[in-house]
Amino acid sequence: MSISQADEMSGSGELRPSQQCLQPLEFEDCLTDSPAFRENLKSHEKEIESCSGVLKQLQNEMKKLLQIEEELSKCHKQFSNTISNISFKPIGSQTEDDIETENAFRKFGEVMDEIEDQRDRFISIKNNCAMKRLDRFRKNDIGRCKEAKRKFHSQTEKSCASLEKSLGAKKNTKGIDDLDINCKEERENLFKNSLYYVDSLHEVQELKRIEVCEALLQIMFAWKTFYHTGYEAFNEFESYSQDLSLRLQNLRDTFDHEKEEADKLKERVSKKLTTGSTSSSPDTRQGYLYSKEKLAVGFGHSWLKYFCEYSRKHKTLTLRTYNQPQGRVGNTDQINVTNVVKKRTDDIPRRFCFEVTSADGKVWVLQSLSEEDLKNWMEIMEGKEATFAEPMQAAKLRVPHEVGMDFVIKCIDRLTALGLNEQGTRP
């Protein structure tokens, strides 16, 4: 949820709803953990923070209405203005219900302003029910989402550190199996935390409009009871509130149904972790790879982490540097792949490595995350096992030299013609 400036009313008096929408978070994206997925998470996190801030603002203003009776009119105007400016960002495209619930906040502000014009002061409003509901939603639902965020980013640090340690270990390192097991466990924990975090974000994003709107609707009904002078205003509001209640109930029913479908989808996506599949298409693959990079002369080389995308159809490999813990996107390279060969362990100290040759003849040495990951990359890139080439010098020794053979044949013919049959040399 976010607060934006109120849309100006058109000449016909109709309100123009906000068209900005959040991009949906897919459970499938938890498998690849791509940069786009991380950036999308940031947008949702920013929206959650904005939602929490608006809820705090509403709660503080409700307390003022309860505590300061003589300042009730002033606080009511401020509260009305706050409600009129509430703007939720829906996921995907806006539906009719989204637009109507968006306009509902402005309608609430209009009704409250109309009542305030008729009265010089307000009577105390007991809205503890709404206060508790908003507080419960902010602390429990949003609080749970923030805790999921903390665990997700913490697990990201652990997973990346474990991966660096495991892949950086030499093949004869003591306890390398334990490092691999720990790396796998941390990756699985990151995936589980990612799924839980995405699910929590979706729940809060969907519930925020319902919870806040229903809470405010309770306040409207409470004010109707106390404000006798605003009877006519509330009388006009009655039909609108009933229609809004039906819309909200429909939204809640839809949410309950979609939550059940989301749980089923999570189970299906979770099964892909065991198969090593990170793409819905058999002709593409995405994932992280390490590339052997040369440093300045005298400084050897280093291994740089890339998020890679391969297209079997176009035989192109796109490498994009990305720091998961910091969310920093780096440079992007694209390779037109001509040949892929699996590296033998005798050729390189690191495990799970293979060579990719580009159209311009450049050779890239890449390291996958595991043996299974290497197998999947080799399969989609149609890679080959390394062959043991025959030494050139040995091959040359086995091929007779044409000139030399002619010389030997001539010598034998000469000896035969002279009839020499004695061995040794003359004194």
Side-chain angles (χ1 to χ4, degrees):
M1 181 173 64
S2 64
I3 293 294
S4 63
Q5 296 296 327
D7 293 334
E8 294 183 358
M9 296 183 63
S10 62
S12 60
E14 295 180 355
L15 295 170
R16 299 194 297 271
S18 174
Q19 296 297 324
Q20 295 182 349
C21 302
L22 292 171
Q23 293 297 320
L25 289 168
E26 302 293 347
F27 291 125
E28 290 274 358
D29 295 337
C30 298
L31 291 169
T32 58
D33 195 14
S34 66
F37 170 68
R38 292 275 177 162
E39 293 303 311
N40 196 11
L41 273 180
K42 288 182 180 180
S43 300
H44 281 260
E45 290 169 356
K46 184 178 180 180
E47 182 69 7
I48 292 298
E49 290 296 329
S50 180
C51 174
S52 179
V54 170
L55 290 181
K56 290 180 181 179
Q57 183 179 358
L58 291 177
Q59 287 176 293
N60 291 334
E61 292 171 3
M62 288 182 193
K63 291 177 181 179
K64 291 179 181 179
L65 294 173
L66 290 172
Q67 296 173 358
I68 313 174
E69 185 175 355
E70 62 274 13
E71 295 292 332
L72 190 57
S73 180
K74 179 181 179 180
C75 292
H76 193 202
K77 284 290 186 180
Q78 183 180 356
F79 184 57
S80 172
N81 183 63
T82 300
I83 293 175
S84 298
N85 287 314
I86 292 177
S87 175
F88 291 118
K89 291 182 180 179
I91 297 176
S93 59
Q94 279 191 324
T95 64
E96 182 180 353
D97 287 336
D98 293 332
I99 296 174
E100 289 300 323
T101 51
E102 185 87 6
N103 289 333
F105 303 119
R106 297 174 179 83
K107 182 66 175 180
F108 296 153
E110 289 177 0
V111 174
M112 285 186 282
D113 288 340
E114 185 177 351
I115 295 173
E116 188 59 28
D117 291 338
Q118 298 177 21
R119 296 180 62 91
D120 295 331
R121 65 181 228 177
F122 290 97
I123 62 174
S124 298
I125 302 172
K126 296 182 179 180
N127 56 359
N128 291 331
C129 181
M131 280 284 295
K132 290 180 180 179
R133 182 169 190 164
L134 291 175
D135 190 66
R136 182 172 62 250
F137 176 70
R138 183 176 63 85
K139 291 182 178 180
N140 295 347
D141 296 273
I142 296 182
R144 174 171 51 84
C145 189
K146 290 183 178 181
E147 179 63 17
K149 172 186 175 181
R150 185 190 65 78
K151 291 182 178 180
F152 170 74
H153 289 292
S154 176
Q155 186 60 41
T156 298
E157 296 280 355
K158 293 180 181 179
S159 179
C160 291
S162 176
L163 183 62
E164 296 276 358
K165 189 173 182 181
S166 174
L167 297 180
K170 304 297 182 180
K171 59 183 178 181
N172 296 326
T173 302
K174 183 178 180 181
I176 193 171
D177 292 337
D178 294 336
L179 291 176
D180 290 344
I181 293 174
N182 182 66
C183 179
K184 181 179 179 181
E185 291 176 350
E186 294 295 346
R187 287 176 58 200
E188 291 177 350
N189 290 335
L190 176 59
F191 175 72
K192 292 177 182 178
N193 278 274
S194 181
L195 277 182
Y196 180 74
Y197 185 32
V198 169
D199 188 46
S200 298
L201 283 171
H202 269 286
E203 285 190 15
V204 173
Q205 299 286 32
E206 295 295 337
L207 282 174
K208 63 186 179 184
R209 180 180 291 104
I210 301 171
E211 291 289 340
V212 178
C213 203
E214 286 182 344
L216 293 176
L217 187 60
Q218 287 179 334
I219 295 175
M220 301 303 295
F221 282 124
W223 279 333
K224 177 182 177 182
T225 302
F226 288 100
Y227 287 2
H228 297 290
T229 57
Y231 174 78
E232 291 298 329
F234 275 112
N235 202 28
E236 296 176 2
F237 178 75
E238 185 69 27
S239 60
Y240 179 84
S241 63
Q242 290 178 357
D243 178 71
L244 182 59
S245 297
L246 292 176
R247 289 183 181 275
L248 292 172
Q249 185 59 48
N250 290 335
L251 285 173
R252 182 172 289 279
D253 293 341
T254 301
F255 168 77
D256 292 338
H257 173 72
E258 290 179 350
K259 188 177 185 306
E260 293 179 2
E261 295 297 323
D263 292 337
K264 296 178 182 178
L265 180 59
K266 278 196 299 182
E267 293 180 4
R268 293 198 297 269
V269 173
S270 297
K271 293 179 181 179
K272 291 191 176 183
L273 184 64
T274 60
T275 63
S277 174
T278 58
S279 176
S280 57
S281 172
D283 295 326
T284 61
R285 180 171 177 80
Q286 298 178 330
Y288 286 95
L289 292 172
Y290 283 78
S291 174
K292 186 178 181 181
E293 307 285 338
K294 291 183 179 181
L295 300 177
V297 178
F299 291 92
H301 63 270
S302 64
W303 291 85
L304 188 61
K305 190 175 183 181
Y306 287 91
F307 181 80
C308 302
E309 301 175 67
Y310 180 75
S311 171
R312 189 201 299 265
K313 179 180 179 181
H314 302 96
K315 291 189 177 297
T316 57
L317 179 65
T318 303
L319 300 92
R320 183 183 298 108
T321 56
Y322 184 73
N323 188 298
Q324 289 168 283
Q326 299 179 6
R328 186 172 63 249
V329 180
N331 298 327
T332 300
D333 292 307
Q334 188 173 69
I335 305 174
N336 293 320
V337 179
T338 59
N339 189 40
V340 179
V341 179
K342 180 180 178 181
K343 296 287 289 183
R344 293 184 290 114
T345 55
D346 296 339
D347 297 336
I348 193 169
R350 285 205 172 198
R351 302 171 297 162
F352 322 134
C353 293
F354 60 98
E355 279 187 357
V356 174
T357 304
S358 61
D360 59 2
K362 184 178 180 180
V363 177
W364 296 68
V365 179
L366 304 176
Q367 182 183 23
S368 57
L369 307 185
S370 65
E371 187 66 36
E372 183 68 22
D373 191 41
L374 173 61
K375 178 181 177 182
N376 293 328
W377 279 108
M378 293 293 293
E379 179 179 350
I380 195 169
M381 299 179 76
E382 301 176 350
K384 303 176 182 179
E385 294 285 343
T387 58
F388 294 86
E390 185 177 35
M392 182 61 67
Q393 188 63 31
K396 289 182 178 180
L397 292 177
R398 289 197 297 269
V399 179
H401 196 281
E402 184 177 354
V403 176
M405 287 299 297
D406 290 342
F407 175 75
V408 172
I409 292 173
K410 289 180 180 180
C411 289
I412 294 175
D413 291 342
R414 180 62 178 168
L415 290 174
T416 302
L418 294 176
L420 299 178
N421 53 14
E422 294 182 1
Q423 296 182 354
T425 59
R426 293 186 177 184

